[in-house]
Amino acid sequence: MSEVLVEYTADARIDNSRLGRSLLRVSQLLAIIGGVIFLLLILITVISIIGRKLFALPVPGDIEIMQMAAASGCACFFAYCHITFNDLKVELLTVMLGNRSKAVLNTMASLGVAVFGFFLTWRTYAAAIATLESGESSAILAWPVAWFQFAMIPGFFVLTLVGVYTAYLHSRAAWQPFSALSQKEK
């Protein structure tokens, strides 16, 4: 069995398994791709604003590029946020619970993320196929909208895998012997 790198407190941590490292690397790669997308969007926006103000020549279709690419870029960040346990948590009601109870709740939350990721993957794929079949394109540039919908699918699919994996990590922490949890709390 692989060794857990950091002891369980309120969160499980990525173990040193091949699967854990692989999911982390894929999530990091997707996050980098999402970051590059947003950097390019910033560049397009700056060029468009300067062009509009100084030369009365904005980037054609800058708003539709922003809308379509931002959706694809956002989808790239979800898996990394979840696998590094940096997604939003509201601990107002759970702060008084013990580690085992928190681990059970975190298991259920990660399973919820996995189900949510699965539905996003499935429905985005279905929408992309329907959009491709209908031939829908952007109004100004006439770019196929389906391209950007298909670009969201890898991020949602990896989110599904990460949700299942982190649910496993949390459940492993939830069901470890009571003495192991109480020793780590000291």
Side-chain angles (χ1 to χ4, degrees), residues 37-38 40-42 44-45 48 59-73 138-143 148:
I37 289 170
F38 276 98
L40 291 173
L41 289 175
I42 290 168
I44 289 170
T45 302
S48 185
V59 173
D62 59 343
I63 299 301
E64 63 187 28
I65 293 170
M66 182 77 66
Q67 291 170 338
M68 294 185 295
S72 301
S138 62
I140 296 171
L141 298 174
W143 288 358
F148 295 92

Side-chain angles (χ1 to χ4, degrees), residues 92-159:
L92 181 66
L93 302 175
T94 62
V95 72
M96 301 301 272
L97 296 177
N99 285 338
R100 186 180 305 270
S101 299
K102 289 179 185 177
V104 169
L105 290 174
N106 285 334
T107 300
M108 292 188 302
S110 287
L111 285 174
V113 166
V115 169
F116 181 69
F118 171 77
F119 281 114
L120 283 173
T121 304
W122 168 45
R123 295 312 305 158
T124 303
Y125 176 76
I129 292 295
T131 305
L132 191 63
E133 289 172 352
S134 72
E136 183 180 343
S137 62
S138 62
I140 296 171
L141 298 174
W143 288 358
V145 174
W147 291 352
F148 295 92
Q149 291 172 324
F150 279 120
M152 289 187 272
I153 293 171
F156 294 147
F157 180 70
V158 174
L159 176 64

Side-chain angles (χ1 to χ4, degrees), residues 26-42 69-78 80 151 155:
V26 170
S27 299
Q28 287 171 331
L29 177 63
L30 281 171
I32 290 168
I33 290 169
V36 169
I37 289 170
F38 276 98
L39 288 173
L40 291 173
L41 289 175
I42 290 168
S72 301
C74 284
C76 292
F77 293 117
F78 296 132
Y80 182 73

